[in-house]
């Protein structure tokens, strides 16, 4: 009997063994609470080295917390945050950004495959009503890297958006729930993928790529970092046993673990996409540039996956999302492609 294969989300996966081992190794003795411990101090040093800048790092329990707290640090209550129409902060965080910013407005902007289109952003800013008391004032642009459609902004695309944001004196936030996947795909350094592109504050994803209940906010601008510790404490995210978050953030980047995990997930996604599209039963609806595959399947192909106990995330209109994770086996990808291929052969013979 074949076991179930679960492509619904990166969140359905386990914790990377290296992170579990690091947690277990930390689990003895006493350490100062609320971030006063040695591991938390080490995170700042290690991440400053990693990002080639003097950064501040704040551990948070979820990507939603990372986004909402970061965006509230950049944006006054009367501010407007320009985001992609499909941005997670806009569609799936239950108003967390609006709540934590005390009423800032998200302004959705269009663009292909989850990337904000520069011309659409310019147009939205032209219509923003800058200086009018009746209108929320442009304050922040948030970019998701990799995007909600599995695409990765190029450096040129990020630079163009950063130039527009700067011309309007706006801050730049990056939702990096899949930042590791984007870096692995762009084959660049963390600095090149973030502050060198103008990013002021980064939601640094860990959970989706092997962490345990821990993401982080990485802050490149001291004025933003200053308010973060108060904001986090007020939300109840100031963990007392912070060392167990810190040890994860350290283990995650130790020996480039995060990039190894992301490269593996990306590679599996590329293989899956190639295999599925070669069958002719699946059509890609977004480029596969990180670990997510979005395809339109025939009804029969969707049923075949279901029969083969392969779980996918439906997105309506026969579109499904399939997310690859580093813990998946090559055989999982092969089995998925085979299920669709066999079914397509039967479909073709029947027609
Ligand atoms: C792009 C993106 N940002 C943020 C999040 C939020 O993460 P969490 O569910 O941990 O709050 C997600 C989760 O799916 C996501 O896909």
């Amino acid at each position: 009997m074949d076991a179930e294969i679960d492509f619904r989300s990166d969140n359905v996966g386990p914790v990377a063994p290296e992170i579990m081992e690091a947690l277990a190794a930390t689990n003895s003795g006493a350490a100062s609470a609320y971030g006063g411990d040695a591991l938390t101090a080490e995170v700042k040093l290690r991440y400053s080295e990693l990002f080639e800048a003097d950064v501040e790092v704040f551990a948070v329990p979820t990507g939603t917390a990372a986004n909402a707290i970061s965006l509230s640090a950049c944006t006054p209550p009367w501010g407007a945050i320009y985001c992609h129409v499909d941005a997670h902060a806009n569609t799936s965080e239950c108003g967390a950004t609006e709540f934590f910013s005390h009423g800032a407005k998200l302004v959705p902007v269009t663009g292909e495959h989850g990337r904000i289109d520069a011309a659409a952003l310019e147009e939205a800013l032209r219509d923003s009503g800058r200086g009018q008391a009746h209108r929320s004032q442009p304050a922040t642009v948030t970019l998701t890297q990799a995007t909600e459609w599995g695409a990765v902004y190029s450096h040129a695309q990020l630079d163009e958006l950063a130039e527009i944001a700067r011309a309007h004196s706006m801050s730049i936030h990056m939702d990096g729930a899949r930042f590791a996947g984007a870096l692995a795909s762009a084959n660049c350094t963390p600095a090149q993928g973030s502050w060198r592109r103008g990013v002021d504050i980064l939601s640094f994803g860990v959970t989706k790529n092997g962490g345990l209940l821990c993401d982080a906010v990485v802050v490149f601008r001291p004025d933003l970092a200053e308010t973060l510790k108060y904001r986090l404490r007020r939300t109840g995210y100031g963990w007392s046993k912070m060392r167990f978050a810190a040890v994860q953030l350290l283990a995650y980047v130790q020996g480039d673990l995060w990039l190894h995990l992301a490269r593996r997930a990306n590679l599996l996604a590329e293989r899956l996409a190639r295999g599925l599209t070669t069958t002719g039963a699946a059509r890609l609806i977004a480029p596969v540039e990180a670990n997510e595959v979005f395809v339109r399947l025939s009804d029969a192909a969707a049923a075949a996956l279901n029969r083969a106990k392969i779980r996918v995330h439906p997105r309506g209109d026969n579109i499904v999302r399939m997310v690859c994770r580093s813990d998946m086996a090559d055989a999982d990808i092969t089995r998925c492609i085979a299920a669709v291929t066999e079914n397509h052969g039967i479909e073709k013979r029947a027609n």
Side-chain angles (χ1 to χ4, degrees):
M1 203 60 162
D2 282 333
E4 185 175 275
I5 305 175
D6 199 335
F7 285 102
R8 286 174 303 161
S9 166
D10 359 37
N11 291 328
V12 303
V15 175
E18 293 86 344
I19 292 181
M20 272 304 197
E21 282 156 22
L23 275 162
T26 306
N27 193 27
S28 65
S32 297
Y34 298 108
D37 62 285
L39 289 173
T40 302
E42 199 181 324
V43 169
K44 176 183 163 53
L45 297 178
R46 182 68 193 94
Y47 276 62
S48 292
E49 212 175 84
L50 188 70
F51 279 92
E52 303 171 69
D54 186 15
V55 300
E56 294 293 339
V57 185
F58 300 89
V60 288
T62 64
T64 299
N67 285 345
I69 305 291
S70 301
L71 288 167
S72 69
C74 299
T75 317
W78 57 88
I81 299 163
Y82 290 71
C83 62
H84 190 272
V85 63
D86 295 325
H88 201 267
N90 188 41
T91 63
S92 310
E93 297 181 0
C94 197
T97 293
E98 293 90 327
F99 178 72
F100 284 114
S101 66
H102 301 282
K105 184 176 174 61
L106 285 165
V107 180
V109 181
T110 54
E112 228 186 353
H113 307 135
R115 297 179 181 105
I116 290 181
D117 179 72
L121 178 62
E122 297 240 50
E123 192 185 329
L125 286 165
R126 253 195 317 275
D127 295 341
S128 66
R130 168 80 80 183
Q132 292 176 25
H134 296 249
R135 306 285 298 275
S136 298
Q137 295 299 296
T140 307
V141 176
T142 175
L143 309 166
T144 308
Q145 181 76 318
T147 75
E148 282 77 3
W149 288 97
V152 174
Y153 283 98
S154 69
H155 286 184
Q157 287 166 334
L158 291 173
D159 289 345
E160 189 179 11
L161 293 170
E163 202 178 313
I164 297 168
R166 291 290 174 241
H168 288 82
S169 308
M170 298 166 83
S171 300
I172 302 176
H173 164 256
M174 181 174 274
D175 175 350
R178 296 187 181 85
F179 184 65
L183 277 198
S185 170
N187 202 18
C188 68
T189 66
Q192 286 166 342
S194 59
W195 63 270
R196 291 217 166 111
R197 307 271 73 76
V199 174
D200 297 303
I201 190 164
L202 169 69
S203 295
F204 182 79
V206 179
T207 302
K208 288 188 192 317
N209 191 31
L212 171 75
L213 312 175
C214 181
D215 284 358
V217 177
V218 178
V219 196
F220 305 107
R221 248 174 57 197
D223 61 308
L224 297 179
E226 176 53 25
T227 71
L228 259 277
K229 65 177 182 233
Y230 306 113
R231 291 178 191 279
L232 284 165
R233 188 63 189 148
R234 290 187 82 211
T235 61
Y237 296 153
W239 277 312
S240 54
K241 292 192 179 175
M242 189 65 84
R243 68 175 146 148
F244 294 102
V247 76
Q248 291 188 61
L249 295 179
L250 292 171
Y252 184 59
V253 299
Q254 172 71 30
D256 283 344
L257 174 67
W258 62 312
L259 296 175
H260 293 308
L261 297 173
R263 279 191 205 111
R264 160 101 185 134
N266 286 3
L267 188 76
L268 293 180
E270 190 190 311
R271 253 196 74 203
L272 177 67
R274 203 171 338 109
L276 288 178
T277 49
T278 305
T279 65
R283 198 162 64 78
L284 280 185
I285 63 145
V288 178
E289 293 173 346
N291 68 327
E292 295 182 285
V293 178
F294 291 87
V295 279
R296 181 169 272 125
L297 294 173
S298 63
D299 287 343
L305 286 183
N306 199 27
R307 270 197 309 278
K309 293 206 271 174
I310 294 168
R311 303 189 73 180
V312 297
H313 192 277
R315 281 297 185 90
D317 204 17
N318 280 12
I319 294 169
V320 299
R321 177 178 85 156
M322 303 176 76
V323 186
C324 292
R325 306 182 314 272
S326 58
D327 63 284
M328 293 178 120
D330 292 337
D332 293 340
I333 308 298
T334 307
R335 204 177 108 202
C336 179
I337 296 167
V340 174
T341 310
E342 274 164 32
N343 177 74
H344 194 55
I346 296 165
E347 261 189 281
K348 279 215 311 223
R349 282 194 296 280
N351 288 331

